[in-house]
Amino acid sequence: MHVTPKIYASPLLWLPCELLVHTASYLSPDDLFRLRLTCRRVETFLFASFSEEFFSDRRFMVTECLRCLLNISKHPYLSKCLSKLTIGLDRLLSSDALHSSGIRNGDGNHPHIRRGVDLFRLDEFAVEQNWLVSSGQVQLLLGEALDNLPNVVEISLRDGSEARESGRPGSRELVASYGTAVIYRQTGIDLLEDEVHIRSQDRFADVVFSAALLAVARAGKQLKTITVNMQKQNMGLSSSAFLLPKSYIESFKPTLQTLHSLDLSVSFTHSAVGSPVNGSLGFLHWQHHHLFSLLECTPNLVSLRIRSRGQSFLEDGIIGWLACLADLSNGKQVSGSRLHGPVKASRDGITRLRALGELELGNMTAPTASISKALLHFAGSLRRLYLHMVVVSVARDDDELDNNPRSSNAWTSIFRKMSESLNLEEFRVCSLEHQTPTCARHQVAFLKSKVGAQSGPRNGLLNAWSYAGGVSAMRSFLLEAAEKTLIICTGCKRRNFGYRSFEDMVEE
C-alpha cells in the first residue's frame, strides 16, 4: 500500500527540526511566543529549546505566586530545566498607597492616596505576604518545590530588577519577579519603578534568606552559588539572617560545604543598648556577627564577594577574619575578635578557602597588617581581586606609613607586597581611603597612567583603576600602582610633604 507523505501548507514546516529551531533563535521573545502559537507541530519542535532558554533561570516574589514554582516543579520536563532560582525581595506594604511627600493630588475622596492605586486590594496582598513569611509557609512552599527540582544549583535573592541580555534581538529588558504584572494589574503598584520596594529596619530579607537556606538544607540540595544582592542604600542581611542553631548545623553542612560562590550584601551596623527600634537590623557591641558562623561551614569557596552595608565601617571584620585564617595556617594561636569571635582550626582538617580564586570586598576598614596578611595568604590561588571603599587604618606607632615623607603610604606598601607574591590576573580598586590616628579618613587618588583603565568623579581626581593581564604584566602594574598612589589631605601635608592637596592632584 502506497502512503503519500503529508504536505504541509507552510513551507516553514518543510524545514528539518534543527533548522527551524536555529531560525527561531533569531526572533525576538515576543515573535517567538507568537510563532509557538501557530500550530502544534511548531510548538513540538521548539518546546525543548524554549524551555531550556526561558526556564533555566526563574524569579518569583514572595506571594501566592510561589505556587507557580510548585507547578513548574511538578512538570516532567520543565522541572529539569530550572538551575537558578531567584527570590525577589519585592516588599508589599499598605503604606505604598500613600504619597511619600504628602502631596494631595490623589483620589478625590482620599487625597493622600496615590492616583490609580487600589488601597484595599494592596492591603490584601500585603497581609498575604506577611502571613507567608511569619507563618513559615514560604519555607514549606520552597521546600516542596526544591524536592522536585533536581538541577537547581544556584539560589539568589534580589531587591531590584536586573537587566539581562541574550543573543535574541530586542531581548535586553528588566527581569522582574513572577507576579509583578499581577500586582500592577490588581493594585496599581508598579514594582518596576526605580525605587526599591523594601524598607530600612525591615527584617523581611533576613527571614526570607533563612527560610530559603532551611528549605535548601531540608531538600538535601548541594548548591554551587548563593547570591544576595541588595540595591537599597545601607541595606544588607543582618546578623540574625545567618543564625544557625547548633542543633541544625550538621544538617546545613552538606549544602554549605559544596558552595563554590558566595556573594552577599551584609549589614554590620551596631545597635545601641536599649534601642527602641522594633526589629532592628543591628547587633549589640558585645555580640558576634553570625555571618562568620556560616563562613566556617564554607571551606570550598572559589569566589567570595562581601559588600558591607550600613553607616559604620567596623574595624577588621571580614579582612580580620581572613587574616586569622592566615595565622592559623602558620601554626599561630588566634584569639579572634569581638566581631567574629574565636577562630579555630577546622576539626576535619580541611584548609578553609584553599581554592579561593576571586575575592571582592567593599565598604570595610582594616589595619595595614591585616590587609597584607589576608591577601598574601591566598597568593597561591587568588586570581581576581576587587577592592571598593576599603579603608586602611595606620597604627599610631607606625611612623613609616604616616609621618615619614621619604617612606611610602600604607596603600603603596600593600601594592608592593602584592607585586612580590600574588599571581593576579585581574585587579580593580575604587574609592580607597587611608586613615591615620591624627586625622580623619583621607581620600586615595592615582596619578595618570597609560596602563589599565582609570576613572574618577567630575572633580578631576582619579580614584578608580583596573587592569587585567598575565602574572608578570600584573606584577609590573602593581609596582606602577604603588608609585602612583597618593593620599589627599591639605592638613597632613603641612607635617608630611609626602601627602598631596586636591590642587596638587588637579595640576598633575
Side-chain angles (χ1 to χ4, degrees):
M1 179 178 177
H2 178 71
V3 179
T4 304
K6 187 174 181 179
I7 303 299
Y8 294 98
S10 172
L12 187 65
L13 298 180
W14 300 350
L15 293 174
C17 175
E18 294 80 6
L19 284 180
L20 180 60
V21 171
H22 181 71
T23 302
S25 68
Y26 291 94
L27 297 177
S28 67
D30 289 341
D31 288 339
L32 174 64
F33 298 150
R34 296 187 185 102
L35 177 61
R36 292 177 56 237
L37 293 174
T38 56
C39 74
R40 183 172 297 177
R41 182 175 176 83
V42 169
E43 164 61 9
T44 301
F45 281 173
L46 297 179
F47 180 75
S49 60
F50 167 80
S51 302
E52 291 171 5
E53 180 176 353
F54 290 95
F55 280 84
S56 63
D57 180 358
R58 301 296 295 174
R59 173 171 171 164
F60 302 87
M61 63 186 304
V62 182
T63 63
E64 282 296 318
C65 294
L66 275 175
R67 295 198 178 276
C68 180
L69 175 63
L70 273 180
N71 293 334
I72 292 175
S73 71
K74 295 173 182 177
H75 192 280
Y77 188 85
L78 295 181
S79 61
K80 297 180 176 63
C81 295
L82 189 63
S83 60
K84 178 181 178 181
L85 172 60
T86 300
I87 302 172
L89 299 175
D90 310 283
R91 193 69 162 115
L92 299 174
L93 299 168
S94 300
S95 58
D96 286 340
L98 304 177
H99 285 289
S100 58
S101 58
I103 303 173
R104 298 171 61 91
N105 64 351
D107 186 276
N109 297 323
H110 304 280
H112 292 288
I113 303 300
R114 293 165 56 186
R115 192 181 304 277
V117 173
D118 187 329
L119 174 63
F120 302 102
R121 193 70 183 101
L122 174 61
D123 193 54
E124 290 178 10
F125 276 109
V127 169
E128 174 189 271
Q129 188 179 70
N130 285 332
W131 178 81
L132 283 172
V133 173
S134 61
S135 67
Q137 185 69 13
V138 62
Q139 184 264 317
L140 297 177
L141 287 172
L142 288 173
E144 184 179 350
L146 288 169
D147 278 334
N148 298 306
L149 295 170
N151 297 319
V152 170
V153 293
E154 180 173 355
I155 296 288
S156 176
L157 274 68
R158 295 182 181 272
D159 66 347
S161 302
E162 57 179 320
R164 187 181 302 166
E165 290 185 3
S166 70
R168 292 186 177 277
S171 62
R172 179 176 173 81
E173 56 186 14
L174 289 178
V175 178
S177 303
Y178 181 82
T180 298
V182 175
I183 298 297
Y184 180 66
R185 187 167 57 249
Q186 297 193 24
T187 70
I189 297 296
D190 186 1
L191 296 174
L192 292 179
E193 293 177 339
D194 292 337
E195 179 185 0
V196 174
H197 288 260
I198 194 168
R199 298 289 185 267
S200 299
Q201 301 301 330
D202 188 351
R203 297 189 63 249
F204 179 70
D206 289 351
V207 177
V208 173
F209 177 80
S210 298
L213 196 59
L214 180 58
V216 168
R218 286 184 169 175
K221 294 296 176 187
Q222 296 187 340
L223 298 181
K224 298 297 183 185
T225 301
I226 292 179
T227 300
V228 179
N229 192 331
M230 301 182 68
Q231 299 176 17
K232 178 75 172 182
Q233 187 177 11
N234 296 328
M235 281 289 291
L237 295 180
S238 76
S239 178
S240 63
F242 306 100
L243 179 58
L244 303 179
K246 291 183 179 180
S247 57
Y248 280 89
I249 287 181
E250 291 302 319
S251 62
F252 282 96
K253 281 187 176 180
T255 294
L256 298 176
Q257 288 182 347
T258 61
L259 275 182
H260 285 177
S261 176
L262 189 61
D263 184 343
L264 301 175
S265 300
V266 183
S267 170
F268 289 97
T269 302
H270 274 145
S271 286
V273 178
S275 172
V277 178
N278 185 27
S280 172
L281 297 182
F283 62 108
L284 298 175
H285 286 268
W286 61 80
Q287 292 179 324
H288 305 323
H289 198 290
H290 293 294
L291 167 65
F292 299 99
S293 298
L294 182 137
L295 290 175
E296 292 286 343
C297 300
T298 57
N300 299 309
L301 290 178
V302 176
S303 174
L304 176 62
R305 298 180 175 214
I306 304 292
R307 294 169 298 279
S308 173
R309 311 300 291 270
Q311 299 294 340
S312 58
F313 279 65
L314 291 184
E315 181 85 10
D316 225 7
I318 293 292
I319 296 174
W321 182 78
L322 294 174
C324 287
L325 295 186
D327 286 337
L328 280 177
S329 68
N330 293 325
K332 297 181 180 179
Q333 293 293 326
V334 177
S335 59
S337 75
R338 184 170 55 191
L339 178 61
H340 52 69
V343 182
K344 300 179 181 179
S346 176
R347 294 180 180 179
D348 50 17
I350 298 176
T351 303
R352 278 166 286 192
L353 307 184
R354 63 188 182 280
L356 189 67
E358 180 178 44
L359 180 62
E360 178 179 339
L361 302 172
N363 200 22
M364 300 179 184
T365 301
T368 310
S370 293
I371 295 176
S372 298
K373 190 184 299 182
L375 296 180
L376 298 181
H377 174 61
F378 299 106
S381 61
L382 196 61
R383 296 295 178 267
R384 293 174 296 280
L385 176 63
Y386 315 124
L387 302 175
H388 175 252
M389 292 183 67
V390 174
V391 182
V392 58
S393 58
V394 178
R396 185 174 298 276
D397 57 348
D398 201 345
D399 290 338
E400 288 299 305
L401 298 179
D402 184 28
N403 297 320
N404 185 352
R406 292 181 296 277
S407 184
S408 61
N409 60 67
W411 280 112
T412 291
S413 175
I414 291 171
F415 292 157
R416 285 175 179 169
K417 291 179 181 178
M418 289 170 56
S419 70
E420 297 171 358
S421 303
L422 266 64
N423 298 311
L424 294 178
E425 297 173 356
E426 187 174 343
F427 181 53
R428 184 166 67 241
V429 292
C430 180
S431 302
L432 301 179
E433 296 189 22
H434 184 274
Q435 178 178 296
T436 63
T438 56
C439 192
R441 300 203 306 255
H442 308 115
Q443 188 175 1
V444 173
F446 305 107
L447 296 175
K448 290 182 180 179
S449 172
K450 296 181 180 180
V451 181
Q454 293 179 308
S455 61
R458 293 181 179 179
N459 61 15
L461 291 180
L462 297 174
N463 68 345
W465 202 351
S466 62
Y467 180 76
V471 174
S472 58
M474 179 62 74
R475 290 181 174 177
S476 298
F477 165 76
L478 288 170
L479 288 174
E480 180 167 350
E483 297 302 321
K484 296 194 173 185
T485 298
L486 300 172
I487 311 300
I488 311 300
C489 184
T490 302
C492 290
K493 183 183 177 183
R494 298 190 184 101
R495 64 177 175 79
N496 185 339
F497 61 78
Y499 283 81
R500 302 294 179 92
S501 66
F502 173 77
E503 292 74 18
D504 293 337
M505 294 299 299
V506 173
E507 291 176 0
E508 295 186 32

